[in-house]
Amino acid sequence: MADLRSSLAGIRSPNPFWLASAPPTNSGYQVMRAFAAGWGGAVWKTLALEPIVNVTSRFGGYDVGATKMIGMNNIELITDRPLDVNLREIAECKAAYPDRAIVASLMTDCTRERWHELVHAVETVRVDGFELNFGCPHGMSERGMGSAVGQDPELIETVTRWVKEAAHVPVVVKLTPNITDVRYAARAAVRGGADAVSMINTINSLIGVDLDSWLPIPHVDGKSSHGGYCGPAVKPIALNMVGSCASDPQVGVPISGIGGVSTWRDAAEFFLMGATNVQVCTAVMHHGFRIVADMIDGLTNYLDARGIASVNDLIGKTVPRFVSWNDLNLDYQIVARIDPDACINCNRCYIACEDAAHQCIERPADPALKPVVDEEHCVGCNLCSMVCPIEDCIEMVRVDAGTTSHTWRERLSVPS
């Protein structure tokens, strides 16, 4: 059976599935139940020196058709419970589950004294690491914390250095996606001494407007504010950022992947793109702690089926194939081919190609006949296969000889 044990910058856990700092890690009661269900680690909901005040209501869901919570908006802030209560519960969880990773998420004002005070206070109990919350995009950022730090590389480097001065455990810096290029933030964290980075935190958002009341969603007594967007819909954004940092030699530290991880398949994609482990939140808020059992079983079966001994052997295997557009092979050509026996003549492929692509699918005058691809003019965009409701009805087939390769960089001598 494949080995799922994981180590993020020396923070060890029996499997690579951690709970992200969020409502599911708000209390010892919840973290105890999560560990009993099988989670390998938990990043405790962000601690501060003094508790803050939260509002009601707090969450909004984005549904697509019958699919609930493809995305979620959250205006809840960091912990609103006293620090001493959180620390007592952390100690109880660590005593009960010494093999699980407990990482304390931290946030405070941007002074050296306040950060040292918070680190010293939390280190009075046993924690396996710190995660610096430089990503929370709402509420705390207006007070100069969270993403207000994460959007300023100089602040990221400075605060990380302050924490490293005081900390005796590994320090992970959690980065915001609300920035032009996350690599600059990650590099700053590394210059400050970060042992690892985690990404992504939530994305600035407004989930919607109620068309009957015209109120923004969610609202607090008739008003709302921007919040953090998360859930399956953000996974492509997170994967891109993880891959960008994993392929950047100026980053070079382990990455904890966060953003839309709902299944073992999602997790495996993050590992292949360079993440050492993954953190999960929205899927647990939707389906509960027990989803980790399917994640563990699915990942184990996947590795066993391929004869892969350890989950660590997946890390970064796809990264070399994640390159600049300038390095893609301009000679590579594919076209669509429709299986007439499988086609149900719904014409979705024809409409998509005719209205939104390159007008390369012909619809015969006889309605009994199936659409046909004009391969000479098909650009292989994939849109027809994406809209087709029948699995494997439209196949994308390579038609170039596969013997040549030239890139835009070679064509124009674009410097790397």
Side-chain angles (χ1 to χ4, degrees):
M1 182 177 294
D3 184 358
L4 296 190
R5 289 176 298 176
S6 175
S7 175
L8 179 81
I11 306 173
R12 297 180 179 177
S13 57
N15 63 59
F17 300 112
W18 291 9
L19 290 172
S21 172
T25 60
N26 186 51
S27 68
Y29 168 76
Q30 292 167 285
V31 174
M32 287 275 201
R33 291 184 61 237
F35 286 166
W39 290 90
V43 183
W44 208 271
K45 188 171 172 66
T46 303
L47 306 174
L49 288 166
E50 297 88 19
I52 54 84
V53 177
N54 268 304
V55 295
T56 60
S57 60
R58 305 180 184 182
F59 307 142
Y62 182 49
D63 306 335
V64 177
T67 304
K68 302 286 285 185
M69 284 176 61
I70 193 74
M72 175 180 160
N73 177 275
N74 175 14
I75 61 172
E76 182 174 292
L77 304 183
I78 62 176
T79 183
D80 50 16
R81 303 189 316 140
L83 181 60
D84 62 331
V85 173
N86 278 297
L87 295 182
R88 173 173 50 78
E89 294 178 4
I90 288 173
E92 292 169 354
C93 288
K94 196 63 189 173
Y97 292 92
D99 64 327
R100 312 302 169 88
I102 296 183
V103 173
S105 174
L106 305 180
M107 181 189 291
T108 190
D109 311 280
C110 280
T111 70
R112 183 169 180 265
E113 291 73 21
R114 293 282 283 180
W115 276 101
H116 280 198
E117 182 183 357
L118 182 56
V119 169
H120 293 321
V122 177
E123 283 198 339
T124 58
V125 298
R126 182 183 168 193
V127 293
D128 298 296
F130 292 124
E131 184 181 76
L132 312 186
N133 184 341
F134 296 164
C136 186
H138 54 278
M140 305 309 290
S141 58
E142 286 91 327
R143 307 173 196 180
M145 295 177 265
S147 65
V149 178
Q151 292 170 332
D152 185 332
E154 287 189 21
L155 269 180
I156 294 172
E157 180 178 347
T158 299
V159 176
T160 304
R161 184 167 290 115
W162 290 340
V163 173
K164 286 292 292 183
E165 289 171 352
H168 296 87
V169 293
V171 174
V172 182
V173 173
K174 188 172 186 178
L175 300 174
T176 175
N178 301 299
I179 193 169
T180 304
D181 189 335
V182 73
R183 292 175 301 174
Y184 290 90
R187 293 169 186 171
V190 172
R191 288 196 299 272
D195 300 288
V197 292
S198 58
M199 65 191 76
I200 58 174
N201 207 307
T202 53
I203 301 170
N204 254 324
S205 60
L206 171 65
I207 205 71
V209 177
D210 186 308
L211 293 181
D212 293 323
S213 64
W214 296 3
L215 291 174
I217 303 171
H219 73 85
V220 180
D221 195 19
K223 298 179 180 177
S224 190
S225 178
H226 67 104
Y229 189 57
C230 53
V234 311
K235 190 187 101 177
I237 299 169
L239 268 182
N240 173 53
M241 292 191 172
V242 168
S244 296
C245 287
S247 60
D248 185 341
Q250 296 184 56
V251 176
V253 297
I255 300 169
S256 184
I258 314 167
V261 178
S262 303
T263 67
W264 70 266
R265 293 178 177 275
D266 299 328
E269 291 179 57
F270 273 85
F271 301 143
L272 289 167
M273 289 307 301
T276 297
N277 69 9
V278 291
Q279 299 182 31
V280 180
C281 171
T282 310
V284 167
M285 297 181 75
H286 195 173
H287 302 292
F289 290 131
R290 294 174 63 182
I291 62 170
V292 73
D294 287 339
M295 291 180 166
I296 292 171
D297 288 345
L299 183 60
T300 301
N301 293 337
Y302 175 76
L303 296 173
D304 288 345
R306 284 157 178 76
I308 300 172
S310 167
V311 64
N312 297 313
D313 295 332
L314 288 183
I315 299 171
K317 287 296 186 290
T318 303
V319 173
R321 295 179 177 273
F322 187 55
V323 299
S324 164
W325 194 98
N326 291 329
D327 296 316
L328 300 179
N329 181 10
L330 299 176
D331 293 343
Y332 178 74
Q333 293 184 358
I334 59 173
V335 299
R337 285 185 184 159
I338 301 171
D339 180 351
D341 295 328
C343 178
I344 60 173
N345 235 351
C346 68
N347 284 318
R348 293 186 187 183
C349 60
Y350 169 79
I351 295 169
C353 187
E354 194 71 9
D355 292 358
H358 298 271
Q359 301 79 52
C360 302
I361 294 181
E362 299 171 0
R363 186 169 57 179
D366 183 348
L369 298 178
K370 307 299 174 60
V372 177
V373 175
D374 173 4
E375 293 191 6
E376 182 180 352
H377 296 100
C378 177
V379 302
C381 71
N382 296 328
L383 182 59
C384 57
S385 66
M386 291 162 59
V387 302
C388 179
I390 305 300
E391 188 174 359
D392 298 329
C393 178
I394 298 181
E395 183 182 9
M396 304 306 298
V397 180
R398 185 170 187 173
V399 292
D400 71 288
T403 55
T404 63
S405 172
H406 90 279
T407 68
W408 188 257
R409 190 185 305 283
E410 294 166 341
R411 185 170 177 176
L412 297 182
S413 299
V414 178
S416 59

